[in-house]
Coordinates of all heavy atoms in Angstrom, one line a residue:
M1 N 65.9 -0.8 -11.0 CA 66.5 0.0 -12.0 C 67.8 0.7 -11.3 O 67.7 1.2 -10.2 CB 65.5 1.1 -12.4 CG 66.1 2.1 -13.3 SD 64.9 3.4 -13.8 CE 63.4 2.5 -14.1
A2 N 68.8 0.6 -12.1 CA 70.1 1.2 -11.6 C 70.3 2.6 -12.0 O 69.7 3.0 -13.1 CB 71.3 0.3 -12.1
R3 N 71.0 3.4 -11.3 CA 71.2 4.8 -11.6 C 71.8 4.9 -13.0 O 71.6 5.8 -13.7 CB 72.2 5.4 -10.6 CG 72.4 6.9 -10.8 CD 73.4 7.5 -9.8 NE 73.0 7.3 -8.4 CZ 72.7 8.3 -7.6 NH1 72.8 9.5 -7.9 NH2 72.4 8.0 -6.3
E4 N 72.7 3.9 -13.4 CA 73.3 4.0 -14.7 C 72.3 3.9 -15.8 O 72.7 4.2 -17.0 CB 74.3 2.8 -14.8 CG 75.5 2.9 -13.8 CD 75.1 2.5 -12.4 OE1 74.2 1.7 -12.2 OE2 75.8 3.1 -11.5
D5 N 71.1 3.4 -15.6 CA 70.1 3.2 -16.6 C 69.3 4.5 -16.8 O 68.4 4.6 -17.7 CB 69.1 2.1 -16.2 CG 69.8 0.8 -16.2 OD1 70.8 0.6 -16.9 OD2 69.4 -0.1 -15.4
L6 N 69.6 5.6 -16.0 CA 68.9 6.8 -16.0 C 69.7 7.9 -16.7 O 70.9 7.9 -16.7 CB 68.5 7.3 -14.6 CG 67.8 6.3 -13.7 CD1 67.7 6.8 -12.3 CD2 66.4 6.1 -14.3
T7 N 69.0 8.9 -17.4 CA 69.6 10.0 -17.9 C 69.5 11.2 -16.9 O 68.4 11.6 -16.6 CB 68.9 10.4 -19.2 OG1 69.0 9.4 -20.2 CG2 69.6 11.7 -19.8
R8 N 70.6 11.6 -16.4 CA 70.6 12.7 -15.4 C 70.5 14.0 -16.2 O 71.2 14.4 -17.1 CB 72.0 12.7 -14.7 CG 72.0 13.7 -13.6 CD 73.3 13.4 -12.8 NE 73.4 14.5 -11.8 CZ 74.4 14.4 -10.8 NH1 75.2 13.4 -10.7 NH2 74.4 15.4 -9.9
L9 N 69.4 14.7 -15.8 CA 69.1 16.0 -16.5 C 69.6 17.2 -15.8 O 69.7 18.3 -16.3 CB 67.6 16.2 -16.6 CG 66.8 15.1 -17.4 CD1 65.3 15.3 -17.3 CD2 67.3 15.1 -18.8
T10 N 70.0 17.1 -14.5 CA 70.5 18.2 -13.7 C 71.8 17.9 -13.0 O 72.2 16.7 -12.9 CB 69.5 18.6 -12.6 OG1 69.2 17.4 -11.8 CG2 68.2 19.0 -13.2
G11 N 72.5 18.9 -12.6 CA 73.7 18.7 -11.9 C 74.9 18.4 -12.8 O 76.0 18.0 -12.3
N12 N 74.7 18.5 -14.1 CA 75.8 18.2 -15.0 C 76.7 19.4 -15.3 O 77.6 19.3 -16.1 CB 75.2 17.6 -16.3 CG 74.5 16.3 -16.1 OD1 75.1 15.4 -15.4 ND2 73.3 16.1 -16.6
G13 N 76.4 20.5 -14.8 CA 77.2 21.7 -15.1 C 76.3 23.0 -14.9 O 75.1 23.0 -15.0
G14 N 77.0 24.1 -14.5 CA 76.3 25.3 -14.3 C 75.7 25.5 -13.0 O 75.2 26.6 -12.6
G15 N 75.6 24.4 -12.2 CA 74.9 24.5 -10.9 C 75.9 24.2 -9.8 O 77.1 24.0 -10.1
P16 N 75.5 24.1 -8.6 CA 76.4 23.8 -7.5 C 77.0 22.4 -7.6 O 76.4 21.5 -8.2 CB 75.5 23.9 -6.3 CG 74.1 23.8 -6.8 CD 74.1 24.3 -8.2
Q17 N 78.2 22.3 -7.2 CA 78.9 21.0 -7.3 C 78.4 20.1 -6.2 O 78.1 20.5 -5.1 CB 80.4 21.2 -7.1 CG 81.0 22.0 -8.2 CD 80.9 21.3 -9.6 OE1 81.0 20.1 -9.7 NE2 80.5 22.0 -10.6
C18 N 78.1 18.9 -6.5 CA 77.6 17.9 -5.6 C 78.6 16.8 -5.4 O 79.3 16.3 -6.4 CB 76.3 17.3 -6.1 SG 75.1 18.6 -6.4
N19 N 78.7 16.3 -4.2 CA 79.6 15.1 -3.9 C 78.8 13.8 -3.9 O 77.8 13.7 -3.3 CB 80.3 15.3 -2.6 CG 81.2 16.6 -2.6 OD1 81.9 16.8 -3.6 ND2 81.1 17.3 -1.5
K20 N 79.3 12.9 -4.7 CA 78.8 11.5 -4.7 C 77.3 11.5 -4.9 O 76.5 10.8 -4.3 CB 79.1 10.8 -3.4 CG 80.6 10.7 -3.1 CD 80.8 9.9 -1.8 CE 82.3 9.9 -1.6 NZ 82.7 9.2 -0.3
N21 N 76.8 12.4 -5.8 CA 75.4 12.4 -6.2 C 74.4 12.6 -5.1 O 73.3 12.1 -5.1 CB 75.0 11.1 -7.0 CG 75.8 10.9 -8.2 OD1 76.0 11.8 -9.0 ND2 76.4 9.7 -8.4
D22 N 74.8 13.4 -4.1 CA 74.0 13.6 -2.9 C 73.2 14.9 -2.9 O 72.8 15.4 -1.9 CB 74.9 13.6 -1.6 CG 75.9 14.7 -1.6 OD1 76.0 15.4 -2.6 OD2 76.5 14.9 -0.5
C23 N 72.9 15.5 -4.1 CA 72.2 16.7 -4.1 C 70.9 16.5 -4.9 O 70.7 15.5 -5.6 CB 73.0 17.8 -4.8 SG 73.6 17.4 -6.4
P24 N 70.0 17.4 -4.9 CA 68.7 17.3 -5.6 C 69.0 17.2 -7.1 O 69.8 17.9 -7.7 CB 68.0 18.6 -5.3 CG 68.5 19.1 -4.0 CD 70.0 18.7 -4.1
N25 N 68.4 16.2 -7.8 CA 68.5 16.0 -9.2 C 67.2 15.5 -9.8 O 66.3 15.0 -9.1 CB 69.6 15.0 -9.4 CG 71.0 15.6 -9.4 OD1 71.3 16.4 -10.1 ND2 71.8 15.1 -8.4
V26 N 67.1 15.6 -11.1 CA 66.0 15.0 -11.9 C 66.6 14.1 -12.9 O 67.6 14.5 -13.6 CB 65.2 16.1 -12.6 CG1 64.1 15.5 -13.4 CG2 64.6 17.1 -11.5
Y27 N 66.1 12.9 -13.0 CA 66.5 11.9 -14.0 C 65.4 11.5 -14.9 O 64.2 11.6 -14.5 CB 67.0 10.6 -13.2 CG 68.2 10.9 -12.3 CD1 67.9 11.3 -11.0 CD2 69.5 10.6 -12.7 CE1 69.0 11.4 -10.1 CE2 70.5 10.8 -11.8 CZ 70.3 11.2 -10.5 OH 71.3 11.4 -9.6
R28 N 65.7 11.1 -16.1 CA 64.7 10.6 -17.0 C 64.9 9.1 -17.2 O 66.1 8.6 -17.4 CB 64.7 11.3 -18.3 CG 63.5 11.0 -19.2 CD 63.3 11.9 -20.3 NE 62.0 11.9 -20.8 CZ 61.5 12.6 -21.8 NH1 62.3 13.4 -22.4 NH2 60.3 12.5 -22.2
T29 N 63.8 8.3 -17.2 CA 64.0 6.8 -17.3 C 63.9 6.5 -18.8 O 63.6 7.3 -19.7 CB 62.8 6.1 -16.6 OG1 61.6 6.4 -17.3 CG2 62.7 6.5 -15.1
T30 N 64.2 5.3 -19.1 CA 64.1 4.8 -20.5 C 62.7 4.8 -21.1 O 62.5 4.8 -22.3 CB 64.8 3.4 -20.7 OG1 64.1 2.5 -19.8 CG2 66.2 3.4 -20.3
T31 N 61.7 4.8 -20.2 CA 60.3 4.8 -20.6 C 59.8 6.2 -20.7 O 58.6 6.4 -21.0 CB 59.4 4.0 -19.6 OG1 59.5 4.6 -18.3 CG2 59.9 2.5 -19.6
G32 N 60.6 7.2 -20.4 CA 60.2 8.6 -20.5 C 59.6 9.2 -19.2 O 59.2 10.4 -19.2
S33 N 59.5 8.5 -18.1 CA 59.1 9.0 -16.8 C 60.3 9.7 -16.1 O 61.4 9.6 -16.6 CB 58.4 8.0 -16.0 OG 59.3 6.9 -15.7
F34 N 60.0 10.2 -15.0 CA 61.1 11.0 -14.3 C 61.2 10.5 -12.8 O 60.3 10.0 -12.2 CB 60.7 12.5 -14.2 CG 60.6 13.1 -15.5 CD1 59.4 13.2 -16.2 CD2 61.7 13.6 -16.2 CE1 59.3 13.8 -17.5 CE2 61.7 14.2 -17.4 CZ 60.4 14.2 -18.1
I35 N 62.5 10.5 -12.4 CA 62.9 10.2 -11.0 C 63.4 11.5 -10.4 O 64.2 12.1 -11.0 CB 64.0 9.1 -11.0 CG1 63.5 7.8 -11.7 CG2 64.4 8.8 -9.5 CD1 62.5 7.0 -11.1
V36 N 62.9 11.9 -9.3 CA 63.3 13.1 -8.6 C 64.0 12.7 -7.3 O 63.5 12.0 -6.5 CB 62.1 14.0 -8.3 CG1 62.5 15.3 -7.6 CG2 61.4 14.4 -9.6
Q37 N 65.2 13.3 -7.1 CA 66.0 13.1 -5.9 C 66.0 14.4 -5.2 O 66.3 15.4 -5.7 CB 67.4 12.6 -6.3 CG 68.4 12.5 -5.2 CD 69.8 12.2 -5.6 OE1 70.0 11.9 -6.8 NE2 70.7 12.4 -4.7
G38 N 65.7 14.3 -3.9 CA 65.7 15.5 -3.1 C 65.6 15.2 -1.6 O 65.6 14.0 -1.2
D39 N 65.5 16.2 -0.8 CA 65.3 16.0 0.6 C 63.9 15.5 0.9 O 62.9 15.9 0.3 CB 65.5 17.4 1.3 CG 66.9 17.9 1.2 OD1 67.8 17.1 1.2 OD2 67.1 19.1 1.2
A40 N 63.8 14.5 1.8 CA 62.6 14.0 2.2 C 61.7 15.1 2.8 O 62.2 16.0 3.5 CB 62.7 12.9 3.2
S41 N 60.4 15.1 2.5 CA 59.5 16.1 3.0 C 58.4 15.4 3.8 O 57.9 14.3 3.4 CB 58.9 16.9 1.8 OG 57.9 17.7 2.3
N42 N 57.9 16.1 4.8 CA 56.8 15.6 5.6 C 55.6 16.6 5.5 O 54.9 16.7 6.5 CB 57.2 15.5 7.1 CG 58.3 14.4 7.3 OD1 58.1 13.3 6.7 ND2 59.3 14.6 8.0
A43 N 55.5 17.2 4.4 CA 54.5 18.3 4.2 C 53.1 17.6 4.4 O 52.2 18.3 4.9 CB 54.5 18.9 2.8
F44 N 52.9 16.4 4.0 CA 51.7 15.7 4.2 C 52.0 14.2 4.1 O 53.0 13.8 3.6 CB 50.5 16.1 3.3 CG 50.7 15.9 1.8 CD1 50.4 14.7 1.2 CD2 51.3 16.9 1.1 CE1 50.6 14.5 -0.1 CE2 51.5 16.7 -0.3 CZ 51.2 15.5 -0.9
Q45 N 51.1 13.3 4.5 CA 51.3 11.9 4.4 C 51.0 11.4 3.0 O 49.8 11.5 2.6 CB 50.4 11.2 5.4 CG 50.6 9.7 5.4 CD 52.1 9.3 5.9 OE1 52.6 9.9 6.8 NE2 52.6 8.3 5.2
A46 N 52.0 11.0 2.3 CA 51.8 10.4 0.9 C 51.1 9.0 1.0 O 51.3 8.3 2.0 CB 53.1 10.3 0.2
P47 N 50.4 8.6 0.0 CA 49.8 7.3 0.0 C 50.9 6.2 0.1 O 52.0 6.4 -0.3 CB 49.1 7.2 -1.3 CG 48.8 8.6 -1.7 CD 50.0 9.4 -1.2
E48 N 50.5 5.1 0.6 CA 51.4 3.9 0.7 C 52.1 3.7 -0.7 O 51.4 3.7 -1.7 CB 50.7 2.7 1.1 CG 51.7 1.5 1.5 CD 51.0 0.4 2.1 OE1 50.0 0.6 2.8 OE2 51.4 -0.7 1.9
G49 N 53.4 3.5 -0.7 CA 54.1 3.2 -1.9 C 54.6 4.5 -2.6 O 55.3 4.4 -3.6
E50 N 54.3 5.6 -2.1 CA 54.7 6.9 -2.6 C 55.6 7.7 -1.6 O 55.5 7.3 -0.4 CB 53.6 7.8 -3.1 CG 52.8 7.1 -4.2 CD 51.6 8.0 -4.7 OE1 51.5 9.2 -4.2 OE2 50.9 7.6 -5.5
A51 N 56.3 8.6 -2.1 CA 57.1 9.5 -1.1 C 57.1 10.9 -1.6 O 56.8 11.2 -2.8 CB 58.5 9.0 -1.1
L52 N 57.3 11.8 -0.7 CA 57.4 13.2 -1.1 C 58.9 13.7 -1.0 O 59.6 13.3 -0.1 CB 56.6 14.1 -0.1 CG 55.2 13.8 0.1 CD1 54.6 14.7 1.2 CD2 54.4 14.0 -1.2
V53 N 59.4 14.4 -2.0 CA 60.7 15.0 -2.0 C 60.6 16.5 -2.3 O 59.7 16.9 -3.0 CB 61.7 14.3 -2.9 CG1 61.9 12.8 -2.6 CG2 61.3 14.4 -4.4
E54 N 61.5 17.2 -1.8 CA 61.6 18.7 -2.0 C 62.8 19.0 -2.7 O 63.9 18.6 -2.3 CB 61.5 19.4 -0.7 CG 61.5 20.9 -0.8 CD 61.3 21.6 0.6 OE1 61.0 20.9 1.6 OE2 61.5 22.8 0.6
I55 N 62.7 19.7 -3.9 CA 63.9 20.1 -4.6 C 63.7 21.6 -5.0 O 62.6 22.1 -5.1 CB 64.0 19.3 -5.9 CG1 62.8 19.5 -6.9 CG2 64.3 17.9 -5.6 CD1 63.0 18.9 -8.2
P56 N 64.8 22.3 -5.1 CA 64.8 23.7 -5.5 C 64.2 24.0 -6.9 O 64.4 23.2 -7.8 CB 66.2 24.2 -5.4 CG 67.0 23.1 -4.7 CD 66.2 21.9 -4.9
E57 N 63.6 25.1 -7.0 CA 63.0 25.5 -8.3 C 64.1 25.5 -9.4 O 63.9 25.1 -10.6 CB 62.4 26.9 -8.3 CG 61.8 27.4 -9.6 CD 61.3 28.8 -9.5 OE1 60.7 29.1 -8.4 OE2 61.4 29.5 -10.5
S58 N 65.3 25.9 -9.0 CA 66.4 26.0 -10.0 C 66.7 24.6 -10.6 O 67.1 24.5 -11.8 CB 67.7 26.5 -9.3 OG 68.1 25.7 -8.2
V59 N 66.5 23.5 -9.8 CA 66.8 22.2 -10.4 C 65.7 21.8 -11.4 O 66.1 21.3 -12.5 CB 66.8 21.2 -9.2 CG1 66.9 19.7 -9.7 CG2 67.9 21.4 -8.3
L60 N 64.5 22.2 -11.2 CA 63.4 21.9 -12.2 C 63.7 22.8 -13.4 O 63.6 22.3 -14.6 CB 62.1 22.3 -11.6 CG 61.5 21.3 -10.6 CD1 60.1 21.7 -10.2 CD2 61.4 19.9 -11.3
R61 N 64.1 24.0 -13.3 CA 64.4 24.9 -14.4 C 65.5 24.3 -15.3 O 65.5 24.2 -16.5 CB 64.7 26.3 -14.0 CG 63.5 27.1 -13.5 CD 63.9 28.5 -13.1 NE 62.8 29.2 -12.6 CZ 61.9 29.9 -13.3 NH1 62.1 29.9 -14.6 NH2 60.9 30.5 -12.8
E62 N 66.5 23.7 -14.6 CA 67.7 23.1 -15.3 C 67.2 21.9 -16.0 O 67.6 21.6 -17.2 CB 68.8 22.7 -14.3 CG 70.0 22.2 -14.9 CD 71.1 21.8 -13.9 OE1 71.0 22.1 -12.7 OE2 72.1 21.2 -14.4
A63 N 66.3 21.1 -15.4 CA 65.8 19.9 -16.1 C 65.0 20.3 -17.3 O 65.1 19.7 -18.4 CB 64.9 19.1 -15.1
F64 N 64.2 21.3 -17.2 CA 63.4 21.8 -18.4 C 64.3 22.2 -19.5 O 64.0 21.9 -20.7 CB 62.4 22.9 -18.0 CG 61.4 22.5 -17.0 CD1 60.8 23.5 -16.2 CD2 60.9 21.2 -16.9 CE1 59.8 23.2 -15.3 CE2 59.9 20.9 -16.0 CZ 59.4 21.8 -15.2
R65 N 65.3 23.0 -19.2 CA 66.3 23.4 -20.2 C 66.9 22.2 -20.9 O 67.1 22.2 -22.1 CB 67.4 24.3 -19.6 CG 66.9 25.8 -19.4 CD 68.1 26.7 -19.1 NE 68.8 26.3 -17.9 CZ 68.5 26.6 -16.6 NH1 67.5 27.4 -16.4 NH2 69.3 26.2 -15.6
A66 N 67.3 21.2 -20.1 CA 68.0 20.0 -20.6 C 67.0 19.3 -21.6 O 67.5 18.7 -22.6 CB 68.4 19.1 -19.5
L67 N 65.7 19.4 -21.4 CA 64.7 18.7 -22.2 C 64.3 19.6 -23.4 O 63.6 19.2 -24.3 CB 63.5 18.3 -21.4 CG 63.7 17.2 -20.4 CD1 62.6 17.1 -19.5 CD2 64.0 15.9 -21.1
G68 N 64.8 20.9 -23.4 CA 64.4 21.8 -24.5 C 63.0 22.4 -24.3 O 62.4 22.8 -25.2
W69 N 62.5 22.4 -23.0 CA 61.1 22.9 -22.8 C 61.2 24.4 -22.5 O 61.7 25.0 -21.7 CB 60.5 22.1 -21.6 CG 60.2 20.7 -21.9 CD1 60.4 20.0 -23.1 CD2 59.7 19.7 -21.0 NE1 60.1 18.7 -22.9 CE2 59.6 18.5 -21.7 CE3 59.3 19.8 -19.7 CZ2 59.2 17.3 -21.1 CZ3 58.8 18.6 -19.1 CH2 58.7 17.4 -19.8

């Protein structure tokens, strides 16, 4: 799946400026699931095929607002 196929819910305004999409973001896929971009976390070992990312609460709040939640 290409980034162009995703709907970016955060980082579109009102938040800190990011260069080259290198900041925490939340995206929605065409199937309604979510892709989260953030700093890699080692809080615990995720199962094979999964990863942990850490994003600020403000990014989630922005995503919720974008969805009208």
Side-chain angles (χ1 to χ4, degrees):
M1 175 180 318
R3 186 185 302 245
E4 295 78 28
D5 297 330
L6 304 172
T7 300
R8 187 172 173 171
L9 299 175
T10 58
N12 293 314
Q17 295 299 317
C18 301
N19 297 319
K20 299 180 182 179
N21 300 312
D22 64 349
C23 56
N25 281 297
V26 177
Y27 301 85
R28 191 162 199 183
T29 69
T30 56
T31 61
S33 62
F34 298 93
I35 304 290
V36 178
Q37 174 186 348
D39 294 327
S41 173
N42 294 317
F44 61 89
Q45 183 64 42
E48 188 172 330
E50 295 183 5
L52 303 176
V53 296
E54 184 174 347
I55 61 171
E57 180 180 326
S58 60
V59 173
L60 285 179
R61 289 181 182 275
E62 184 180 354
F64 295 157
R65 281 192 302 274
L67 292 168
W69 293 358

